[in-house]
Amino acid sequence: MQIKRTVMKFGGSSLADASRVDHVANLIKDQIGIGNRPRAVVCSAMGKTTNALLSAGDFALEGRVNVDALRTLHTNCCETFQFPPNIAGEIMSLLDECEGMLNGVRLLQELSPRSLDQLVSYGERCSVRIMAARLNQLGVPAQAFDAWEVGIITSSNYGDASILPESEEKIKKIFNTRIDPNVVAVVTGFIGHDLDKKVTTLGRGGSDLSATAIGAACDLDEVQVWKDVDGILSSDPRVVPNAVPISKVSFEEASELAYFGAQVLHPIAMQPAMRKNIPVRVKNSYNPSHEGSVISSVKDPDRLVTAITFKRGVQLVDIVSTRMLGAYGFLSTVFNIFEKNKLSVDVLASSEVSISVTLDNKQKVSDSHQILTDLAPCADVVVKNDRAILTLIADVERSSEVLATAFRVFFNRDIKVEMLSQGASKVNISFVILDKDLDDAILNLHSCFFENICVVGGINDDAIELEEELTGV
């Protein structure tokens, strides 16, 4: 049997309650039985524990402290699995510490970013101890670790810390010298220590980043991220019921998918794996026999479109120069104004005297927004609401084929494209359309590119028809 050395990551939904913890623990045991040997298992907090802790912090500031629901969730696990007193006691001690901290917040009426990171850390620190204890009961040697105990050191940017470069050598040394290779290290996900040994939390995709950082530092064969779908899908199944799993995705394609809203690893979380060229496999904890999707440096050369993703509720901002500025003068003026107003764009198209950009729904421009005042001396600005970005993750070297099919669909369905962007990325073609047309566009494009059922004939169909007309066949 071929042995594959892995790190496995499980999110909160996979660990929602005692039954899910038991399911995952047995899944890990079964995976070991078929040759997938996890050097580490990275766990998020159980269910919605992190959100509950954030809410508990807000309630404490209002003078109320109550962690009964959190105690019940974790106590149920201890009782269900009949953990020995030392394990249950360690978990209860962490919850007591958490409650004591909340009482301090209540008395001081203060919850700093540093204190908030400490507060939310308790969820993961409990979950890894529960998972390690359950694995040991099933005959899988396991030990719980807080992330800093395995070498994850971060910056001091509380709430959005980054893993420091020196962590790689620390992680490698600790796993090589202090953690028995026959023991599964069950590690907290999105927390770490800064250089002053204060608890920090990583930014978006933090738990995935911890998993890839460990995988890269230990030169493992694969990082496995376990979710509740059969890997990366061709589109959002809530919009496209016939969405299909994609077996192979390149790192660049996965990054673009994540940026435009797909539930894939955050681009930052993929960086350690990219540096070491370690494949990341997205698998389904409810269907572990499915191969899932592999994210690696290799893309499928035969595939025209990899996936369709989108962002709803965006604004389209058209900016037209009112001065006789050269292109560099106009562009630099506009971008400086965007920087001043701390606005970042999703999609951009430009000419010498005009720029069109999109803004997502977190940073919309109102009629009274300062940026309109700042742009007024040099440009006319039109802001259009209720737009959407539809993005094809595709082989841009074959963009003529992709665009021909896409625009035939848009024409057939009477969908107006207000902006097109095919930029520096070699895998991304984006269209801005009306939000109300988005579902129709996605469903019909998906039919053409993935289901061999197209509202319009393909380019080759037209060529065949023309040939038949000319030859009289």
Side-chain angles (χ1 to χ4, degrees):
M1 180 173 60
Q2 185 178 1
I3 302 300
K4 184 188 292 183
R5 300 175 309 130
T6 67
V7 55
M8 299 178 178
K9 181 263 175 176
F10 295 92
S13 61
S14 295
L15 307 168
D17 52 31
S19 66
R20 292 300 302 156
V21 170
D22 187 55
H23 174 84
V24 169
N26 278 281
L27 184 156
I28 293 168
K29 180 180 179 180
D30 292 343
Q31 290 295 306
I32 292 172
I34 61 174
N36 285 325
R37 298 288 177 87
R39 193 72 178 91
V41 171
V42 175
C43 293
S44 298
M46 291 180 63
K48 298 192 179 299
T49 295
T50 299
N51 289 337
L53 287 166
L54 289 170
S55 297
D58 291 335
F59 283 127
L61 288 171
E62 297 172 1
R64 291 180 290 164
V65 172
N66 188 325
V67 294
D68 290 350
L70 291 176
R71 283 191 185 277
T72 299
L73 176 66
H74 294 87
T75 300
N76 280 347
C77 282
C78 295
E79 293 175 349
T80 299
F81 301 132
Q82 298 181 328
F83 287 155
N86 63 312
I87 300 296
E90 188 176 2
I91 294 164
M92 291 305 111
S93 178
L94 283 169
L95 291 172
D96 288 342
E97 188 179 317
C98 174
E99 186 171 13
M101 182 180 178
L102 286 167
N103 275 311
V105 171
R106 177 179 62 83
L107 293 170
L108 294 174
Q109 288 295 289
E110 182 181 351
L111 184 59
S112 67
R114 190 177 81 178
S115 298
L116 189 60
D117 279 5
Q118 171 79 27
L119 176 62
V120 298
S121 75
Y122 289 109
E124 290 194 344
R125 294 165 73 187
C126 287
S127 74
V128 295
R129 285 157 175 80
I130 289 170
M131 178 56 70
R134 184 57 183 150
L135 285 170
N136 280 311
Q137 286 182 331
L138 295 175
V140 177
Q143 183 177 348
F145 292 92
D146 295 325
W148 51 85
E149 295 176 319
V150 300
I152 293 181
I153 309 300
T154 76
S155 65
S156 299
N157 185 18
Y158 300 107
D160 192 21
S162 54
I163 296 178
L164 297 180
E166 52 262 42
S167 292
E168 183 169 346
E169 223 22 71
K170 286 180 176 291
I171 294 168
K172 183 176 182 178
K173 182 178 179 181
I174 289 171
F175 272 92
N176 285 343
T177 62
R178 295 172 56 185
I179 300 177
D180 187 326
N182 296 311
V183 171
V184 175
V186 185
V187 184
T188 55
F190 82 134
I191 63 176
H193 262 179
D194 66 9
L195 294 173
D196 294 325
K197 297 188 177 181
K198 303 297 183 184
V199 176
T200 59
T201 60
L202 305 174
R204 283 185 61 197
S207 296
D208 294 337
L209 177 58
S210 297
T212 56
I214 292 170
C218 297
D219 291 312
L220 300 179
D221 299 317
E222 189 173 270
V223 175
Q224 296 180 351
V225 178
W226 292 79
K227 295 178 175 287
D228 55 3
V229 291
D230 290 332
I232 298 169
L233 301 180
S234 54
S235 195
D236 188 333
R238 293 170 296 184
V239 177
V240 183
N242 295 332
V244 295
I246 305 299
S247 59
K248 295 179 182 177
V249 180
S250 71
F251 285 119
E252 188 176 12
E253 288 173 326
S255 295
E256 291 287 340
L257 274 166
Y259 182 78
F260 284 99
Q263 296 298 309
V264 191
L265 275 73
H266 191 275
I268 292 175
M270 283 184 271
Q271 289 177 1
M274 289 174 67
R275 282 197 302 269
K276 290 291 189 72
N277 197 22
I278 295 174
V280 179
R281 188 181 297 270
V282 182
K283 286 180 67 71
N284 188 351
S285 62
Y286 293 91
N287 185 19
S289 62
H290 193 281
E291 287 297 309
S293 301
V294 177
I295 307 170
S296 69
S297 58
V298 179
K299 64 182 294 185
D300 187 341
D302 299 323
R303 190 172 56 217
L304 187 60
V305 173
T306 298
I308 303 171
T309 187
F310 57 88
K311 278 190 176 182
R312 296 185 187 274
V314 304
Q315 282 184 325
L316 175 61
V317 183
D318 293 327
I319 306 164
V320 180
S321 174
T322 54
R323 295 183 179 181
M324 296 301 291
L325 292 175
Y328 68 89
F330 176 58
L331 292 174
S332 65
T333 299
V334 170
F335 288 133
N336 285 336
I337 290 171
F338 269 82
E339 181 182 14
K340 172 189 170 186
N341 286 274
K342 295 182 170 57
L343 292 174
S344 59
V345 304
D346 285 325
V347 178
L348 178 148
S350 67
S351 70
E352 188 171 356
V353 294
S354 67
I355 304 173
S356 293
V357 301
T358 62
L359 303 173
D360 67 29
N361 54 19
K362 295 178 183 177
Q363 47 178 10
K364 285 190 174 180
V365 171
S366 64
D367 292 341
S368 59
H369 198 288
Q370 180 62 39
I371 195 170
L372 299 180
T373 303
D374 294 342
L375 287 168
C378 65
D380 290 329
V381 182
V382 177
V383 179
K384 301 173 182 176
N385 294 307
D386 301 321
R387 267 52 179 181
I389 302 169
L390 189 160
T391 298
L392 301 178
I393 306 302
D395 184 351
V396 171
E397 292 183 1
R398 299 170 64 188
S399 61
S400 295
E401 296 173 67
V402 176
L403 290 169
T405 300
F407 275 105
R408 287 161 65 86
V409 169
F410 294 146
F411 177 77
N412 181 274
R413 304 300 300 172
D414 194 25
I415 295 170
K416 180 183 177 183
V417 176
E418 300 189 26
M419 179 175 157
L420 166 67
S421 178
Q422 179 184 320
S425 168
K426 298 296 185 287
V427 298
N428 168 351
I429 301 172
S430 291
F431 308 90
V432 177
I433 61 177
L434 290 174
D435 211 324
K436 69 179 182 65
D437 293 331
L438 182 63
D439 286 8
D440 186 23
I442 293 171
L443 284 166
N444 282 286
L445 287 170
H446 193 274
S447 292
C448 288
F449 289 121
F450 295 97
E451 301 172 47
N452 295 319
I453 307 169
C454 208
V455 293
V456 295
I459 300 171
N460 291 337
D461 296 337
D462 284 349
I464 292 169
E465 288 179 18
L466 179 60
E467 182 181 1
E468 289 175 350
E469 287 177 16
L470 292 173
T471 59
V473 176

